Amino acid sequence: MSEPLVSVEDVKVHFPIKRGVVLDRTIGYVYAVDGVSLTIQRGETYGLVGESGCGKSTLGRGMLRLVEPTGGRVVFDGTDLSALRGENLRRMRRRMQMVFQDPLSSLDPRQSVESILVEGMRAHELDKGREETGKQLRELLSAVGLPSTALRKYPHEFSGGQRQRIGIARALAVKPDLIIADEPVSALDVSVQAQVVNLLEDLQEQFGLTYLVIAHDLAVVRHISDRVGVMYLGGLVEEAGSDELYAEPLHPYTKALLSAVPVPDPLVEDRRERILLTGDLPSPAAPPTGCRFHTRCPWRQAERCDTERPVLREILGGHRVACHFAEEIRDGKIRPHEVEPVLVHPDEVLIAPDAG
Amino acid sequence: MALLEVRDLTVQFRRRGEEPFTAVDGVSFDVDPGQTIGLVGESGCGKSVTSLAIMGLLPRKGNQVTGSVRFEDTELLSLSQSQMRDRRGRDLGMVFQDPLSSLNPVVSIGLQVTEVLERHRGMARKAAMVEATELLDKVGIPDPGRRLSEYPHQLSGGMRQRALIAMALACRPRLLIADEPTTALDVTIQAQILALLKELVTDTGTALIMITHDLGVVAGLCDEVNVLYGGRVVERAARHELFAEPRHPYTHGLLASIPRLDAPRGEKLVPIKGSVADNIPWDGACAFAPRCPNALDTCTQVTPEQESLANRLLRCHNPVEVTA
Ligand SMILES: Nc1ncnc2c1ncn2[C@@H]1O[C@H](COP(=O)(O)OP(=O)(O)OP(=O)(O)O)[C@@H](O)[C@H]1O
Ligand SMILES: Nc1ncnc2c1ncn2[C@@H]1O[C@H](COP(=O)(O)OP(=O)(O)OP(=O)(O)O)[C@@H](O)[C@H]1O
Ligand code: SF4
Ligand SMILES: [Mg+2]
Ligand SMILES: [Mg+2]
């Protein structure tokens, strides 16, 4: 395989939790991203799924160094980003753009669409004279399906779907290689989501873009992605080609997650067997020992699960799983059992050993 | 006779100096005991306003509600505020999308549930505590005895939603309205809550009005589905009929535009063009016409009436042809 565009190597993002009068005492950490490794090939779409708070956005932001990773490194097109400073980092950032969930809050309401788009181009010295820039802007708008009259308007004058198009145009304006789209359609009406999904697909083809798409809607991610990674409490628990993952999920969490997604077809719904998980997601500031999923896992075994953290290992070609018993579960040698729900306090903090 | 009969329910919002705005426009449907009725449609189509009007929870000023909402023999729209409050404690329960905003942040979960039991079922404090523990247990809150003394912010989103359902159940309602009860929750927690609601309907015969924009939720839960567009019911059918053969171009378009977890990949989605911002008024037209692939000239000249058509209600001049 050729050299990947992005290589994420054991990246960690731990947010300190401060307490005390002047907030100077660190009493623990939110282990938002805790050792994630993955690669994204040129021209592919990598989908990242997982439930609220599992660290998807933080991983995406950490990749761009919008938050500083606490550990590991991110290599973009052969360059280690963690070594870059100042101007070099800024130059590199042009090639990696982000599209956000809520287009309204990520667009400055006082700026016209034209000024929003030109701003990025100017910052990276891509506006080459009025005529050339004007041409580029018109091309950009037509690429995202907005009329050129949109240039003089302001974000509030558009519908949600149109605003998301503006957000995408802003990202495209600086000619990036990689677009990280964080929940690009989840704020949109169902009938409008498909427009934006199709647009992202068309643009990828037209401009040879590479995507990291972060979303909690598993059907959308499956539709748009070539490969999918599943996160749970700061770690990647499974990764596979989109079709393989959905055809044969191997990790107990992925199995449960996929079985929980409602399908808009009563014939399917009536026959479906759900793996209902008990209890809640543990606090990322006090993650369980061993396998982070062991407190909710219907396949949990007495040995290893609560003591040893499973590593992500390749089981079949291109299918990686972090479960000690993935093969036994796949082959039906161990069966699911009832799980007693445990109490979860959403703000629980594991007191750091060095806290005074 | 149905448990709840909604007829021609219309809600207009009036603001001084502005044209009155009709959020709900002649909505009618029935709910029988033990039945789950779905109200689906995209943002702003009037789902929440419909449910608030039924429950008598619309703001006191600035709106006008007409039509009829009959619960058994009582016309709810002619009840006074205090009579309605009493009804809400006895026969009618409601669960909202955001449990945090409907729970009192400074009162413990236990006290909030026992208050309902004392007020509406006249129980003594001790008995109410026992009953509250049982209710929390029934909705799947682990270690319910301990949870009674905790405050809403100490619970996760899923547990708060369960607490809210427990409070709604405390009055043993015969009709429960759930307005996007799982929209703010993760999908594995959503599955738990939906299973809980389903169990409730089967075990107690409570009638359920389920409001959601998620067609997947509807497919698994609702006996009958009302599809709303621009404040009107545009299509109504039993669950299997609706999904097997959506006849209204809007319903049809919605189903074609959502990716399915179990469908072959690689096929392009078929979006509905435009957005609700393109809607035109229902007066003398079909509000959906500017976005509709089936639109004829009549669609911008004549309001489509609601017609019944083989076990289905339809409001469309040119419905999608039946295949087969
Ligand atoms: N700046 C921050 N400071 C402290 N904690 C943070 C910060 N940003 C995120 N977190 C915490 O890190 C964890 C992961 O958050 P993140 O936003 O990455 O999750 P997510 O998977 O994107 O969730 P969602 O689906 O809700 O967007 C959460 O517990 C969150 O509260
Ligand atoms: N108190 C109010 N005053 C004025 N207009 C209102 C009021 N409440 C709702 N509306 C309007 O009525 C229409 C229907 O709103 P409603 O809340 O019922 O939509 P909905 O179908 O529940 O949407 P969503 O899926 O976003 O919850 C909207 O256009 C809304 O802006
Ligand atoms: S390692 Fe154990 S607890 Fe974790 S998913 Fe596998 S079986 Fe379940
Ligand atoms: Mg996020
Ligand atoms: Mg609503």
Side-chain angles (χ1 to χ4, degrees):
Chain A
M1 217 185 287
S2 62
E3 189 198 325
L5 180 65
V6 188
S7 164
V8 172
E9 297 166 13
D10 199 26
V11 163
K12 298 187 172 123
V13 183
H14 298 170
F15 296 108
I17 301 167
K18 308 263 191 195
R19 289 282 155 81
V21 207
V22 283
L23 294 180
D24 55 350
R25 209 162 56 100
T26 299
I27 59 151
Y29 293 91
V30 177
Y31 300 93
V33 177
D34 204 17
V36 170
S37 301
L38 57 86
T39 57
I40 306 176
Q41 303 298 324
R42 282 164 213 279
E44 84 166 334
T45 299
Y46 189 103
L48 205 53
V49 296
E51 295 176 281
S52 185
C54 71
K56 305 179 295 294
S57 299
T58 305
L59 179 61
R61 295 166 57 80
M63 285 169 64
L64 301 187
R65 282 182 61 196
L66 296 173
V67 291
E68 209 55 54
T70 343
R73 55 179 214 146
V74 178
V75 180
F76 182 86
D77 200 13
T79 307
D80 182 353
L81 293 184
S82 50
L84 293 184
R85 298 279 173 275
E87 182 59 20
N88 289 338
L89 178 61
R90 206 182 64 82
R91 272 174 202 280
M92 201 54 122
R93 278 214 179 114
R94 175 190 66 77
R95 302 178 57 191
M96 309 174 280
Q97 290 296 311
M98 199 138 178
V99 170
F100 298 92
Q101 166 173 0
D102 181 0
L104 197 56
S105 68
S106 67
L107 299 172
D108 182 347
R110 292 156 307 178
Q111 271 185 303
S112 69
V113 171
E114 174 162 7
S115 111
I116 288 171
L117 297 180
V118 170
E119 187 177 57
M121 292 163 72
R122 191 158 294 154
H124 295 286
E125 288 130 40
L126 289 170
D127 66 327
K128 306 215 168 62
R130 264 185 72 170
E131 209 163 302
E132 176 61 23
T133 304
K135 183 165 156 266
Q136 281 186 28
L137 287 177
R138 281 192 302 277
E139 282 169 6
L140 208 51
L141 286 180
S142 113
V144 299
L146 287 173
S148 51
T149 49
L151 283 177
R152 272 180 300 280
K153 293 193 183 168
Y154 291 81
H156 71 264
E157 298 177 67
F158 295 92
S159 70
Q162 288 171 323
R163 277 183 217 130
Q164 196 53 290
R165 289 172 195 271
I166 298 170
I168 293 170
R170 177 178 58 179
L172 280 180
V174 297
K175 302 189 164 41
D177 301 290
L178 173 74
I179 288 187
I180 299 185
D182 192 353
E183 305 279 2
V185 300
S186 47
L188 304 178
D189 260 333
V190 186
S191 75
V192 178
Q193 290 188 0
Q195 298 172 3
V196 174
V197 167
N198 286 356
L199 174 66
L200 287 171
E201 289 178 343
D202 293 344
L203 294 173
Q204 178 166 48
E205 210 164 294
Q206 195 179 340
F207 299 106
L209 296 165
T210 305
Y211 287 147
L212 174 66
V213 175
I214 298 172
H216 67 270
D217 184 328
L218 283 100
V220 167
V221 168
R222 169 171 187 259
H223 177 85
I224 200 168
S225 308
D226 302 303
R227 280 192 306 142
V228 176
V230 183
M231 281 183 81
Y232 185 79
L233 272 185
L236 210 52
V237 295
E238 184 161 7
E239 178 193 79
S242 188
D243 286 328
E244 290 76 34
L245 186 83
Y246 287 84
E248 198 185 17
L250 294 176
H251 195 282
Y253 176 63
T254 318
K255 284 175 182 284
L257 194 62
L258 290 179
S259 86
V261 179
V263 171
D265 183 346
L267 295 171
V268 176
E269 282 294 305
D270 288 353
R271 277 183 285 112
R272 259 175 114 201
E273 282 201 30
R274 289 225 150 82
I275 303 167
L276 279 188
L277 294 180
T278 45
D280 287 313
L281 202 68
S283 157
T289 56
C291 171
R292 297 200 160 168
F293 187 54
H294 85 262
T295 53
R296 297 166 82 200
C297 179
W299 281 270
R300 168 194 178 176
Q301 299 298 298
E303 308 266 296
R304 297 178 74 194
C305 290
D306 62 345
T307 53
E308 190 187 329
R309 187 164 176 200
V311 294
L312 198 63
R313 59 201 170 88
E314 185 151 341
I315 288 200
L316 295 162
H319 197 146
R320 300 196 293 159
V321 188
C323 167
H324 296 306
F325 299 98
E327 289 89 342
E328 288 86 343
I329 293 170
R330 178 192 59 196
D331 301 338
K333 289 192 187 124
I334 46 182
R335 312 227 128 252
H337 47 74
E338 294 254 316
V339 181
E340 259 314 297
V342 288
L343 275 180
V344 170
H345 282 260
D347 327 315
E348 194 177 350
V349 175
L350 193 72
I351 300 299
D354 55 342
Chain B
M1 203 177 83
L3 180 70
L4 181 82
E5 277 186 15
V6 179
R7 288 292 171 274
D8 247 338
L9 182 67
T10 301
V11 181
Q12 272 198 344
F13 290 106
R14 297 162 185 280
R15 220 173 273 146
R16 226 189 317 187
E18 277 176 38
E19 287 279 293
F21 172 73
T22 311
V24 175
D25 203 355
V27 165
S28 305
F29 60 89
D30 289 351
V31 190
D32 288 323
Q35 204 187 20
T36 300
I37 295 293
L39 300 184
V40 288
E42 55 202 307
S43 189
C45 69
K47 305 182 292 294
S48 297
V49 172
T50 302
S51 68
L52 294 174
I54 294 171
M55 299 292 286
L57 286 172
L58 284 170
R60 274 194 223 180
K61 288 210 181 109
N63 64 70
Q64 189 180 37
V65 183
T66 55
S68 150
V69 177
R70 282 194 91 76
F71 186 84
E72 294 189 313
D73 296 327
T74 316
E75 173 56 57
L76 297 185
L77 294 187
S78 56
L79 293 187
S80 71
Q81 291 267 349
S82 76
Q83 285 171 316
M84 220 26 225
R85 201 173 312 124
D86 186 49
R87 279 283 166 165
R88 281 198 298 271
R90 252 186 315 126
D91 297 324
L92 314 171
M94 179 133 186
V95 178
F96 298 92
Q97 170 173 350
D98 176 12
L100 205 51
S101 69
S102 22
L103 289 167
N104 188 337
V106 297
V107 179
S108 72
I109 296 292
L111 207 56
Q112 297 196 44
V113 182
T114 47
E115 261 181 2
V116 175
L117 292 167
E118 287 169 37
R119 181 146 35 94
H120 293 291
R121 279 168 56 194
M123 294 176 99
R125 173 57 59 92
K126 266 240 174 81
M129 279 304 245
V130 175
E131 173 84 10
T133 317
E134 271 171 26
L135 277 167
L136 294 189
D137 187 48
K138 191 159 143 198
V139 298
I141 294 183
D143 201 354
R146 239 180 81 188
R147 290 278 138 149
L148 287 176
S149 59
E150 295 189 342
Y151 294 85
H153 73 266
Q154 291 176 288
L155 304 181
S156 68
M159 288 302 153
R160 273 182 219 136
Q161 195 56 285
R162 285 166 195 269
L164 204 61
I165 294 176
M167 273 171 66
L169 294 187
C171 326
R172 298 190 172 145
R174 285 185 297 151
L175 172 72
L176 186 66
I177 303 186
D179 189 352
E180 306 265 10
T182 58
T183 306
L185 303 176
D186 278 319
V187 54
T188 62
I189 310 295
Q190 162 170 292
Q192 298 172 0
I193 301 286
L194 292 179
L196 175 66
L197 287 173
K198 223 181 217 174
E199 199 182 292
L200 191 86
V201 170
T202 343
D203 292 358
T204 62
T206 305
L208 177 65
I209 299 180
M210 181 73 185
I211 295 178
T212 175
H213 64 273
D214 187 334
L215 287 162
V217 169
V218 171
L221 194 67
C222 301
D223 300 307
E224 195 174 64
V225 190
N226 294 279
V227 181
L228 266 71
Y229 194 84
R232 299 198 180 192
V233 176
V234 294
E235 181 161 17
R236 156 152 80 242
R239 168 172 83 117
H240 284 279
E241 277 82 59
L242 187 85
F243 284 87
E245 238 164 37
R247 297 289 315 274
H248 195 283
Y250 175 62
T251 320
H252 187 87
L254 271 185
L255 282 168
S257 69
I258 45 177
R260 276 177 61 157
L261 207 54
D262 61 339
R265 265 182 79 229
E267 271 169 48
K268 274 250 180 245
L269 303 175
V270 187
I272 300 178
K273 70 178 177 193
S275 71
V276 287
D278 301 316
N279 288 3
I280 51 177
W282 281 108
D283 300 324
C286 168
F288 185 59
R291 304 177 69 191
C292 181
N294 277 22
L296 309 169
D297 285 344
T298 13
C299 300
T300 48
Q301 294 154 4
V302 182
T303 309
E305 293 304 322
Q306 188 164 293
E307 287 172 62
S308 27
L309 207 138
N311 298 330
R312 166 180 329 236
L313 276 184
L314 211 51
R315 186 189 287 283
C316 177
H317 290 305
N318 189 20
V320 177
E321 288 299 328
V322 194
T323 49

